[in-house]
């Protein structure tokens, strides 16, 4: 999608180091980290939000679980724990309308979220 910042990152129009990549997704560090470890997992295809996922996107979803497993180990947050967040819509606090899974770790996080 032309004006989408995450599509531009996926297409390397905005230079960003990828921590992980497969056929359907990329992962990269959040530009404004909210924890010592904070990365985003983003589909290569433009999908606006969680509700726009279709049956054909299930390989992407299983890839997300694989990426979470590999990157939490690689970045050393698997034992202490971490949080996965998908902000959706206005009340959910979504600011970039291209689906992304936040993975945050390296500190204790309270509940409920703000
Ligand atoms: P949301 O608020 O939609 O759940 O999350 C969007 C996230 O994308 C924010 O945490 C924000 O810091 C991050 N972000 C926005 N623009 C960029 C960018 O150009 N590069 C990177 N690496 N992260 C970005
Ligand atoms: Zn996009």
């Amino acid at each position: 999608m032309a004006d989408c910042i995450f599509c531009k990152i996926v297409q390397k129009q905005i230079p960003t180091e990828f921590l992980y990549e497969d056929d359907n997704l990329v992962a990269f560090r959040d530009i404004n980290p909210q924890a010592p470890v904070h990365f985003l997992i983003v589909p290569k295809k433009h999908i606006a939000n969680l509700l726009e996922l279709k049956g054909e996107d299930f390989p992407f979803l299983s890839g997300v679980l694989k990426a979470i497993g590999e990157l939490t180990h690689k970045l050393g947050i698997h034992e202490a724990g971490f949080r996965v967040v998908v902000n959706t819509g206005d009340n959910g606090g979504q600011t970039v309308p291209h689906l992304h899974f936040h993975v945050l770790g390296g500190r204790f996080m309270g509940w409920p979220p703000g």
Side-chain angles (χ1 to χ4, degrees), residues 1 4 6-7 46-47 97-98:
M1 184 174 269
C4 172
F6 286 175
C7 282
H46 183 88
I47 301 171
H98 179 133

Side-chain angles (χ1 to χ4, degrees), residues 38-69:
H38 183 180
F39 61 88
L40 304 172
I41 302 174
V42 172
K44 288 184 173 176
K45 182 171 93 172
H46 183 88
I47 301 171
N49 61 43
L50 210 52
L51 297 177
E52 295 297 319
L53 280 168
K54 310 254 186 317
E56 69 200 33
D57 299 315
F58 281 4
F60 157 72
L61 278 179
S62 60
V64 169
L65 297 180
K66 186 163 181 242
I68 290 170

Side-chain angles (χ1 to χ4, degrees), residues 15-94:
T16 302
E17 184 193 350
F18 293 157
L19 299 172
Y20 182 98
E21 179 172 10
D22 73 13
D23 287 348
N24 301 308
L25 63 81
V26 297
F28 51 86
R29 291 188 192 276
D30 196 292
I31 204 169
N32 182 22
Q34 302 301 311
V37 175
H38 183 180
F39 61 88
L40 304 172
I41 302 174
V42 172
K44 288 184 173 176
K45 182 171 93 172
H46 183 88
I47 301 171
N49 61 43
L50 210 52
L51 297 177
E52 295 297 319
L53 280 168
K54 310 254 186 317
E56 69 200 33
D57 299 315
F58 281 4
F60 157 72
L61 278 179
S62 60
V64 169
L65 297 180
K66 186 163 181 242
I68 290 170
E70 291 201 12
L71 284 173
T72 54
H73 280 77
K74 184 175 168 191
L75 299 172
I77 57 171
H78 59 298
E79 283 182 346
F82 56 91
R83 185 170 291 178
V84 180
V85 176
V86 184
N87 296 326
T88 305
D90 289 342
N91 274 1
Q94 182 176 8

